[in-house]
Structures are given as structure tokens and as C-alpha cells.
Amino acid sequence: MNTTRAALPPTGLGIMLVLIVCSTAPAEIIRTVSPAAAENIEGNTSRTPRLVSHRLQWLFPASDFADLPETHRLITAFNLRADRTQTQPGALHFGDERIWMSTTSLNSLTNVFDNNQGSDKTLVHDGPMSFPLLPSGPGPGPAQFADGLPLQTPFYYDPSQGNLLIERVVFANSASGSVASVDLQSTSEVRNVVVDNPNGTAGGLSNAAPVVQFQFVPDPATFALACCGLICLVAWRRYRGQYFTR
């Protein structure tokens, strides 16, 4: 019995299927809520945002993103949630806002803004920004999230490297809003620092964290590597099947 080694067979169909999957999967969005304890229940406090110039930072623990797949590392948007007292659709509008994100090792914020930032601090948005708010949800609360407006620059966030820090500097020109209040959840750590001065270097501390929904999409580099591996696997299995054919 002679075994003939076949030429490497075409794998067009398998590769085509893989490429179809690879081309559509990056559109998949995973939505994650932090603080996780308030994902399905109304937060235990709320606040009516002041439409004045200010600087603030919010801290979100890496543990809230523990179930995030390794493929999804890019934050493309985030949004707040309305408190249950809001009965009409609304939004917070800021005509001039700058947003940074970074990965920090701190578990609780200090009152000095620069001390809280991570080394990968990235400007993700510079210009007008809005946070849409929906008035209702299942039962008496919590309200549903509207999708946040896309950030100009997605932020690569790996929860294994630390906690997530958002810094917002808001200039009150063209600021407006028709909102009763936004939903917050009290935490044991300091998650919020704010001052009514966009150039302030320190602010007041609070353990009332805003309930925020983040939108993650796959990181193109990670996803491309996975696609290449899948293509090689399809090709190898097709080749192996024909190699042992008489």
C-alpha cells in the first residue's frame, strides 16, 4: 500500500468562512456596568449634576470587569444612568469637554488629581459631549441605559493591569441639561473627586460612584491574531485529511 502525499489543498471555503466571521465579529459590543452591585438594582443615592465648569475623576475597580473576554479591550463609549425620579427623557450637554482614561493602581482616590492618574493616561475625547438619559426601565427601577456617544479615541483597558480611571474637564460654555438626577451607588472606597474649577489641582472626595455602562469592542490586533490562528487550524485540518488519503 502506497501513501501518496497530496499537494497542499485549497482551503478557500474554510478561509472564506473564517474571514466572514472575522469581519463581522469586531462589531460585537459588550456592555459592562460599574459599580457591578448596582447593575440590576437602583443605586442607593443620586445627584443632580451642576452645569458649571469643573474637573472630576471617577474610579472603577478592575473586579467589575472580571468577566470581560480577553478579546474585548477597547472602550468606545460610556454613559450614565438616570435616577428613578426622572420621568422625562433628558441629556447632559457640554459644549467643551475633555476626557482622559488611564489604568491606575489605586483602590481609593486621593484629593490630588495628578496623584491618581496612571502612566497610560490617554485623551479620548476633546470637544462637545452629551450623556443621554432614559426615564424608565423594568419595574420601579433601575432606568435603562442609553448608548453613550462614541469617544474620539477608544481606550485600551486590560483589567489585569489595574483599575480604570476617568478624568473629565468640563468648560461650562454651552452647557445645558434637562435632568432630575443621575443614579449613584455608595461604596466603601473613595471613587469620586471633584472641584468647580477646570484648572483645579485638588478636589473634594466622595464614595458615591456614578453608575456607568461601558461599551467594549474587540481589540483589532488581538482579534486579527485569533483569526490567523483559526485560518491555520482550518488549513491544517484540510491538509491532514488529504495527506492520509490513498
Side-chain angles (χ1 to χ4, degrees), residues 6 8 13 46 78 110 138 141 152-153 167 209 215 229-230:
L8 184 65
L13 179 59
S46 62
F78 68 94
T110 73
Q152 294 168 346
T153 302
E167 178 169 326
Q215 294 175 209
L230 188 54

Side-chain angles (χ1 to χ4, degrees), residues 44-201:
N44 59 5
T45 185
S46 62
R47 181 171 300 161
T48 300
R50 298 176 61 194
L51 301 178
V52 298
S53 297
H54 60 275
R55 182 182 184 184
L56 65 81
Q57 289 178 338
W58 293 329
L59 181 69
F60 302 92
S63 57
D64 285 351
F65 306 96
D67 294 333
L68 193 68
E70 292 185 2
T71 53
H72 287 65
R73 288 291 182 261
L74 289 180
I75 300 175
T76 57
F78 68 94
N79 200 36
L80 304 171
R81 184 170 72 186
D83 182 68
R84 62 184 173 188
T85 57
Q86 182 159 337
T87 59
Q88 298 294 328
L92 295 171
H93 301 289
F94 299 99
D96 190 1
E97 173 168 354
R98 295 169 193 165
I99 304 174
W100 289 265
M101 292 185 177
S102 64
T103 308
T104 179
S105 60
L106 296 182
N107 295 317
S108 190
L109 296 177
T110 73
N111 69 326
V112 179
F113 289 102
D114 288 352
N115 291 347
N116 301 326
Q117 299 163 353
S119 60
D120 60 348
K121 179 182 177 181
T122 302
L123 181 66
V124 298
H125 192 87
D126 186 358
M129 190 63 175
S130 293
F131 298 94
L133 297 164
L134 301 178
S136 62
Q144 293 178 320
F145 283 97
D147 283 343
L149 296 184
L151 298 172
Q152 294 168 346
T153 302
F155 179 70
Y156 182 89
Y157 174 60
D158 182 354
S160 68
Q161 300 303 305
N163 300 320
L164 176 66
L165 183 77
I166 292 180
E167 178 169 326
R168 296 173 54 210
V169 172
V170 176
F171 300 91
N173 54 310
S174 303
S176 63
S178 54
V179 54
S181 58
V182 295
D183 202 22
L184 286 81
Q185 175 67 35
S186 297
T187 63
S188 57
E189 308 87 3
V190 175
R191 302 273 190 90
N192 193 338
V193 54
V194 61
V195 62
D196 288 345
N197 179 355
N199 300 310
T201 58

